[in-house]
Amino acid sequence: MTSAGGRLLVVVPYRARRRHWRALAPALAHHLDGAGLDWRLLVVEQADRRPFNRGLLLNAGFALAAEPGDTVCFHDVDLVPEPACDYSPVDRPTHLAAHVEQLGWELRWEDLFGGVVLFPADDFRRVNGFSNGYWGWGAEDTDLRLRCERAGLAVGRRPGRFRSLAHRPAGDSDRLRRAAASPETAVNR
């Protein structure tokens, strides 16, 4: 079931993680089919050698495939849903990856808004999507949450639980905290 006339569009940013994709794709398909959802999956790959730009890839996927009435799920390739994850339509931006294996299955930061996020398509347009200005690891998800706050959108959370697929640390782990502490990072870039 999806929102009025819409469906679930899952957008996955990707680069050089074939092992992760091979684990996520069948698990996600099984999960979404089992939930009876009308869904489509779009993988958006960054092919150049520049630092990874997750926000830019997710914006491109949204622009390519989102339709009015869709619920859009922005989904990291290294997070595999456990059985109770609820991908059903939402009426507000909603963080789904509250309990992630690599974080000890705990919600470590109350304002965490990354990994797997659901959005009504109209709300994503309203906040002008992700910033395209974050190259490398982190901060684009915090920036998106700040955009929601500035647009007056309440942010929800579902108690999703995700198995983490191992990978090397991707860089500056303090970048997320700096972005959260600095509201001026939420600009339309």
Side-chain angles (χ1 to χ4, degrees), residues 9-188:
L9 170 64
V10 181
V11 182
V12 178
Y14 176 85
R15 179 167 67 182
R17 293 223 180 147
R18 180 167 292 169
R19 184 176 54 81
H20 291 165
W21 174 244
R22 287 182 177 162
L24 175 63
L28 187 59
H30 178 75
H31 188 87
L32 298 176
D33 285 343
L37 295 171
D38 175 16
W39 62 278
R40 282 182 34 186
L41 175 66
L42 178 65
V43 177
V44 187
E45 182 174 11
Q46 182 172 328
D48 64 22
R49 292 179 179 249
R50 296 177 72 181
F52 194 63
N53 190 324
R54 181 176 177 267
L56 182 66
L57 292 173
L58 293 170
N59 286 338
F62 180 87
L64 285 168
E67 296 178 4
D70 282 353
T71 293
V72 182
C73 176
F74 301 106
H75 203 299
D76 285 358
V77 73
D78 60 350
L79 295 178
V80 178
E82 298 261 309
C85 289
D86 179 4
Y87 288 83
S88 64
V90 294
D91 63 358
R92 68 187 70 196
T94 301
H95 181 240
L96 191 54
H99 305 286
V100 176
E101 181 180 21
Q102 72 187 25
L103 298 177
W105 304 107
E106 296 176 8
L107 179 61
R108 291 202 181 163
W109 304 283
E110 191 56 40
D111 58 356
L112 185 66
F113 198 62
V116 182
V117 177
L118 300 168
F119 253 89
D122 290 343
D123 285 352
F124 192 70
R125 286 185 189 91
R126 182 173 167 189
V127 300
N128 198 26
F130 285 92
S131 170
N132 293 329
Y134 292 101
W135 295 88
W137 182 86
E140 73 285 331
D141 46 7
T142 299
D143 184 281
L144 183 64
R145 182 185 49 77
L146 292 171
R147 288 168 184 250
C148 290
E149 290 175 9
R150 287 190 175 172
L153 294 174
V155 173
R157 173 167 289 121
R158 289 183 178 164
R161 192 171 157 96
F162 292 82
R163 187 168 45 92
S164 302
L165 302 175
H167 61 280
R168 289 181 300 154
D172 185 358
S173 61
D174 288 329
R175 187 173 180 194
L176 180 66
R177 286 181 197 79
R178 287 194 308 271
S182 177
E184 63 274 5
T185 61
V187 297
N188 292 322

